[in-house]
Amino acid sequence: LLCVSLFRLKDLKVTKLGDSDVHIKMLAAPVNPADINMIQGTYAILSPLPAVGGNEGVGEVLEVGRRVAALKPGDRVIPAGTGLGTWRTQGVFPEETLLKVPNDIPVLCAATLSVNPCTAYRMLADFETLAPGDSIIQNAANSGVGQAVIQIAKASGIKTINVVRDRPDLSKLVERLMALGADHVITEEMLRKPEMKDIFKSIPKPRLALNCVGGKSTTEMLRHLQPKGTMVTYGGMAKQPVMVPVSAFIFRDVRLRGFWMTQWRKDHAQDQEGLASMMDTLCQLIQRGQLTAPACTEVPLQDYRAALEAAMEPFTSSKQILLL
């Protein structure tokens, strides 16, 4: 709980609006694992202190500077990158740090759009050329990214094998992921069992594995990957290294890659078209009801302590969202 004790709720003066600035009223902002890691000092980017927490969220434009062309009062915006500090009621930000989103997408979808769905979209698009009927396998399938992967894959006709940790209310979780469009939901223990063969009677072995856990879970998942397949690691919830048998490299030539959305944004800073096309696709999926916000618990900002504590609990299947 060290993390929670570092926080204070403070009243600050809103900065003066510059010519290229945008004054926004924040509406909602989630508490993500990366936010907690930043507070703990274990993340790859650390904000100079004192800092406002939160890397993601949605706000409404109240006022714009005279040089601002792309935004007007009433528009909805989300952060274009990390480190904006979204756990606040209002803020003044340079125009280039914000992205406009359609006003008709639900607030919770917009608040959770810039990190998890983008990560899911890029990992499905950038590492293997997947066609309808192909399959992927992922662990931590009930995470925010996992839920987005299931829905984006479903919309593209790609089958998903979803691995979750065993838990007391497993059947409820299985039901929820199946309702999102999962084809198979299994526990980590099942990865070793002969019943896995039954799954591959109806769908091909996966060419892509998405790893957010590390440790044993990864090694087991890798056994089911096609030769020359790719495993992408984007998280390490078990805090254990990725262990790969030498035979997987030699005899099956599997590829191991890493992915970090923040780095993708940096690498594609000049590629406005690529970013716009991804955001358009995701917003259209939301508008068509094919991509929903992850399971959320809405918490008023003054109860931020409860939200932070809940976000650090094991087996959480609900994302804490601060209402601002």
Side-chain angles (χ1 to χ4, degrees):
L1 296 180
L2 166 73
C3 168
V4 180
S5 63
L6 297 172
F7 267 82
R8 303 277 178 282
L9 204 54
K10 283 192 87 156
D11 282 329
L12 301 172
K13 274 187 91 127
V14 177
T15 347
K16 195 168 162 289
L17 187 75
D19 286 350
S20 305
D21 290 341
V22 181
H23 179 190
I24 68 171
K25 169 187 187 293
M26 288 302 297
L27 302 172
V31 179
N32 287 321
D35 301 324
I36 303 286
N37 294 343
M38 276 176 94
I39 300 161
Q40 291 167 332
T42 58
Y43 203 59
I45 316 176
L46 301 174
S47 304
L49 298 173
V52 178
N55 286 300
E56 190 180 31
V58 61
E60 185 181 317
V61 176
L62 295 177
E63 197 186 347
V64 298
R66 60 192 182 88
R67 287 217 191 100
V68 173
L71 295 170
K72 60 183 190 307
D75 283 346
R76 292 262 173 96
V77 289
I78 62 173
T82 36
L84 203 62
T86 53
W87 300 347
R88 62 172 98 209
T89 52
Q90 291 186 35
V92 170
F93 304 104
E95 179 184 16
E96 72 270 10
T97 62
L98 302 167
L99 287 176
K100 184 176 165 179
V101 291
N103 279 29
D104 63 350
I105 66 175
V107 166
L108 293 184
C109 286
T112 53
L113 178 59
S114 66
V115 178
N116 294 338
C118 290
T119 299
Y121 179 91
R122 295 265 55 107
M123 291 194 303
L124 287 169
D126 294 353
F127 295 93
E128 287 283 343
T129 310
L130 299 169
D134 284 346
S135 79
I136 66 130
I137 187 167
Q138 64 165 345
N139 56 22
N142 57 315
S143 66
V145 171
Q147 293 176 56
V149 164
I150 290 170
Q151 296 173 85
I152 296 167
K154 172 84 174 169
S156 319
I158 294 156
K159 309 286 183 195
T160 57
I161 302 161
N162 301 282
V163 187
V164 296
R165 285 183 296 176
D166 201 1
R167 62 195 64 213
D169 56 350
L170 182 66
S171 58
K172 254 201 208 136
L173 176 60
V174 171
E175 211 172 288
R176 196 153 63 76
L177 297 183
M178 295 297 272
L180 288 180
D183 294 283
H184 299 277
V185 182
I186 58 174
T187 61
E188 292 187 340
E189 292 70 31
M190 253 196 81
L191 282 169
R192 273 209 87 99
K193 298 206 169 137
E195 291 89 282
M196 285 299 289
K197 288 197 178 77
D198 296 338
I199 289 179
F200 299 121
K201 283 177 185 162
S202 58
I203 62 175
K205 284 210 158 193
R207 286 226 308 278
L208 180 67
L210 306 178
N211 166 46
C212 179
V213 179
K216 200 170 151 221
S217 166
T218 313
T219 316
E220 296 300 342
M221 195 164 67
L222 202 67
R223 290 152 52 102
H224 303 291
L225 200 58
Q226 272 189 36
K228 290 189 167 24
T230 306
M231 183 170 78
V232 182
T233 292
Y234 68 97
M237 284 159 51
K239 297 186 167 49
Q240 289 162 357
V242 169
M243 307 286 272
V244 180
V246 171
S247 61
F249 281 123
I250 298 173
F251 303 123
R252 291 176 37 237
D253 190 16
V254 298
R255 277 174 291 214
L256 265 62
R257 299 285 304 273
F259 182 77
W260 186 31
M261 194 61 219
T262 301
Q263 190 62 47
W264 186 91
R265 287 185 195 279
K266 275 187 196 152
D267 294 346
H268 293 78
Q270 303 313 311
D271 175 19
Q272 284 310 308
E273 219 170 285
L275 179 63
S277 138
M278 169 172 72
M279 298 315 286
D280 284 352
T281 304
L282 292 171
C283 289
Q284 281 171 28
L285 287 173
I286 292 169
Q287 286 162 328
R288 292 203 294 263
Q290 290 176 299
L291 178 61
T292 55
C296 292
T297 304
E298 299 173 44
V299 183
L301 180 61
Q302 58 269 29
D303 299 337
Y304 70 91
R305 282 172 189 273
L308 286 172
E309 281 166 18
M312 290 188 285
E313 287 289 318
F315 296 121
T316 42
S317 279
S318 186
K319 197 175 277 294
Q320 304 293 308
I321 305 266
L322 297 168
L323 296 183
L324 311 159

